[in-house]
Amino acid sequence: MSRQAVIFDLDGVIVSTDEYHYRAWQRMADEQELRFDRAVNERLRGVSRMESLAIILDHSGVRLAPETMAELASKKNAWYRDSLAQLTPQDVLPGALPLLSELRARGIRQAIGSSSKNARTILDRIGLRDWFDAVADGNGIVRSKPDPEVFLLAARLLGVVPETCVVVEDAEAGLAAARAAGMKAVGVGAAANSPLAHCAAKDLTGAALDEWLA
Ligand code: BG6
Ligand code: MG
């Protein structure tokens, strides 16, 4: 099977926004007197904003009306977006640019497949928007990872069949989504040791491209 495209998750793969998400959720949880910590935060990797809130509420055994949930999620997002203003091209994770450059030289198409509705803002802040032939994000999908929708959308936008795509992910939910889409799943960072990964690397500096594209 000849590989035609690599679809990158954004948060935790191309740029590290984890700490910003964590601090904004922690602030919301403190205000609402909800239990929250870094272990719960880990479970939010790759998960949409509303599903993240549902996990946090569930952890404290709290149920809220949909309107109240929407208010809390939008408050968290406002705090999170304030911190995104600090992002600069310096925040691109090690290995990302050389990898994008090598893929382009090999004629491999590249896309973003992210659950985030802030993906385009982030890409603009870190100056990488022009590297991607397509951006599939939280604004274009109904079902979030582990559902394959965002990766299938990315493949459609690129005009390639799913089986020719490789996904690079730092979340279990993302690796599961890649597999469900019929794509090869590469685990990096927090997902490097996942049994769902077809191959893995500590970060993008360790990309074994020939193996990833095999
Ligand atoms: C994913 C993050 O990329 O985006 C999750 O890993 C986050 O932690 C999700 O909840 C949704 O992000 P946003 O920016 O739409 O709130
Ligand atoms: Mg991620």
Side-chain angles (χ1 to χ4, degrees), residues 11 21 44-49 52 80 114-118:
D11 296 307
H21 274 298
L44 312 182
R45 229 174 247 285
V47 175
S48 75
R49 194 180 310 159
S52 296
Y80 174 63
S114 167
S115 303
S116 173
K117 295 187 172 174
N118 293 301

Side-chain angles (χ1 to χ4, degrees), residues 12-13 42 45 168-175 185-202:
V13 172
E42 273 304 304
R45 229 174 247 285
V168 186
E169 259 293 348
D170 72 315
E172 285 282 319
L175 293 174
V186 176
V188 296
N193 296 319
S194 168
L196 294 178
H198 291 110
C199 39
K202 179 174 64 68

